[in-house]
């Protein structure tokens, strides 16, 4: 048997971290077994579908390296891969269920169903539809229709017995049929609902393993009933643990950002990302710039494999100590048996640590390739960047070392090297330059640095030490002042690296321009 898994997102919003984890596990399982991973777009909910949400889903998966063997943009022998384009097959399946007596046309009005539901509630019993407006033959259907009623198609669920599912993550799971409602599978207008469409499409696409989030476990009885009633073999099921809120067992939701930002680690990465977004002209709006959505990490400059590696650890583990995997290692070691059924808490701090690990393993050239596009977006360099600017950025990256945690961080470390008119941080000027005696210190350092040969970090450090010793002040008094004078801010690469990268002429010019701001 060839393993075939699928990820079937609805284009109703941006790609959620939990959805990415589901896609990743399906992809890993298919790759582990030499099978196929299929991408299907479940767009049957026309009222909620958002056309512009499809592109972020496709591009987000592509960015993460989660490629599909069949699906949109790729094609394949089981096309089409949009559920809305497979409607004829869904309607045919509904007719088969009706003909076999596994479904019926129901002419009940919403108010009548609500009346039964309230009566059951008052009696302290679970609601189970009486089927009093069910039409099991054409004559009954004609009679109800003559009353001006419209019909939907409902499943005729068993009222006794048990469905047993051997779930690859949760083991034996039992469902009592008597607790299952007669779910609607086709609306009055003839369109079919998700549960019927999904089962039919999974069968037609030859899906062997349905690996999905825990929240779909309760859907399994009705979907298994549909499949068995249509004569399909059931796929293997694996219901993944919830991706939960930080330090919680509650599902992570993209609509609860304000609440999550009370978590210090979540707030840290959100504020960090917002600063980067503002520099590249990206408005940090709640719907799109949200650390529960994968686009956030792409726009800020995380490494896609860092995201994949971290998400693989949300509910799965190889052992109790291994945290970092290459792509090949993760594919080779991934099994459903190693998935834990307990909710997996999303930990922004841990994700940050994984990102830091992989960023630290990159070469300067690899970082340069990641970071230049951010400088282009911020209009700090041209497109394409001039060779001189590229060399400057290279030096900044080397000098910054592990200070650059994500690609977007380069905006705050390279900007002052690439502008002619240096913006000055008012708070930094007040704190470091406006103090009495700073002007004379800067004058003395400029005079000494003017003759430093060669103009290198080591030689400049010796120059500053000479000035400090002659003036009888602390090293920090001059270091902080020089940094603000030549960079306009209090953070960046090491000071002596900054001076050397700027070069003698530009460094001295900036020192001179800062003098009127000094005390």
């Amino acid at each position: 048997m060839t393993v075939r898994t699928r990820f079937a997102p609805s284009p109703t919003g941006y790609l959620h971290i939990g959805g990415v984890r589901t896609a990743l596990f399906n992809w890993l399982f298919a790759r582990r077994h030499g099978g196929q991973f299929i991408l299907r777009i479940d767009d049957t909910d026309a009222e909620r579908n958002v056309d512009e949400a499809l592109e972020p889903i496709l591009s987000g998966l592509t960015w993460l390296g989660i490629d599909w063997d069949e699906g949109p943009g790729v094609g394949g022998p089981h096309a089409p891969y949009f559920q809305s384009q497979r409607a004829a097959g869904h309607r045919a399946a509904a007719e088969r269920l009706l003909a076999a007596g596994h479904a019926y046309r129901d002419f009940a009005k919403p108010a009548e169903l609500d009346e039964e539901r309230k009566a059951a509630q008052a009696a302290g019993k679970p609601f189970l539809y009486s089927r009093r407006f069910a039409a099991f033959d054409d004559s009954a259907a004609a009679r109800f229709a003559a009353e001006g009623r419209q019909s939907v198609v409902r499943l005729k669920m068993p009222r006794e017995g048990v469905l047993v599912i051997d779930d690859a993550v949760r083991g034996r799971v039992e469902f009592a049929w008597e607790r299952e409602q007669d779910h609607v599978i086709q609306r009055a207008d003839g369109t079919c609902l998700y549960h019927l469409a999904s089962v039919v499409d999974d069968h037609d696409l030859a899906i062997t393993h349905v690996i999905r989030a825990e929240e779909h476990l309760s859907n399994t009885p009705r979907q298994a009933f549909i499949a068995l009633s249509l004569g399909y073999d059931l796929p293997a099921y694996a219901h993944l643990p919830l991706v939960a809120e930080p330090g919680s067992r509650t599902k992570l939701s993209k609509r609860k950002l304000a609440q999550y930002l009370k978590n210090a680690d979540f707030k840290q990465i959100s504020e960090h990302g917002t600063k980067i977004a503002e520099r590249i002209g990206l408005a940090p709006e709640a719907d799109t710039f949200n650390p529960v959505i994968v686009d956030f990490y792409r726009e800020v400059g995380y490494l896609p494999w860092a995201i994949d590696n971290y998400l693989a650890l949300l509910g799965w583990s190889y052992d109790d100590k291994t945290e970092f995997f290459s792509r090949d290692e993760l594919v080779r070691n991934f099994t459903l048996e190693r998935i834990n059924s307990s909710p997996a808490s999303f930990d922004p701090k841990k994700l940050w640590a994984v990102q830091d690990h992989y960023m630290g393993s990159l070469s300067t050239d690899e970082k340069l390739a990641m970071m230049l596009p951010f400088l282009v977006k911020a209009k700090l360099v041209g497109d394409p960047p001039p060779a001189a600017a590229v060399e400057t950025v290279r030096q900044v990256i080397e000098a910054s070392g592990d200070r650059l945690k994500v690609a977007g961080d380069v905006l705050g470390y390279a900007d002052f090297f690439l502008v002619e008119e240096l913006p000055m941080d008012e708070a930094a000027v007040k704190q470091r330059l406006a103090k009495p005696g700073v002007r004379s210190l800067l004058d003395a350092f400029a005079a000494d640095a003017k003759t430093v040969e060669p103009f290198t970090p080591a030689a400049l450090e010796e120059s500053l030490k000479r000035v400090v010793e002659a003036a009888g002040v602390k090293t920090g008094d001059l270091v902080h002042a020089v940094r603000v004078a030549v960079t306009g801010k209090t953070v960046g690469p090491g000071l002596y690296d900054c001076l050397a990268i700027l070069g003698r002429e530009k460094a001295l010019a900036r020192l001179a321009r800062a003098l009127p701001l000094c005390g």
Side-chain angles (χ1 to χ4, degrees), residues 359 366-375 397 404 406-407 410:
M359 183 64 83
E366 289 171 322
K367 291 180 181 178
L368 185 66
M370 285 181 63
M371 295 175 181
L372 280 174
F374 284 84
L375 297 168
I397 291 171
L404 301 175
V406 298
V410 73

Side-chain angles (χ1 to χ4, degrees), residues 13-57:
Y14 288 84
L15 196 55
H16 183 274
I17 282 292
V20 174
R21 198 276 308 266
T22 297
L24 176 64
F25 280 23
N26 275 277
W27 182 88
L28 287 169
F29 187 75
R31 294 291 175 261
R32 167 75 172 78
H33 292 280
Q36 287 100 42
F37 171 65
I38 291 85
L39 178 64
R40 186 182 75 223
I41 305 302
D42 282 3
D43 56 347
T44 54
D45 192 345
E47 292 184 0
R48 295 183 61 219
N49 289 338
V50 181
D51 290 340
E52 57 269 24
L54 178 59
E55 192 283 330
I57 291 173

Side-chain angles (χ1 to χ4, degrees), residues 254-273:
K254 60 187 176 185
R255 296 178 180 86
K256 297 167 68 175
L257 179 61
Q259 175 182 322
Y260 298 154
L261 291 185
K262 295 177 182 178
N263 175 290
D265 297 324
F266 237 135
K267 184 177 182 180
Q268 179 186 20
I269 66 171
S270 180
E271 291 181 346
H272 184 99

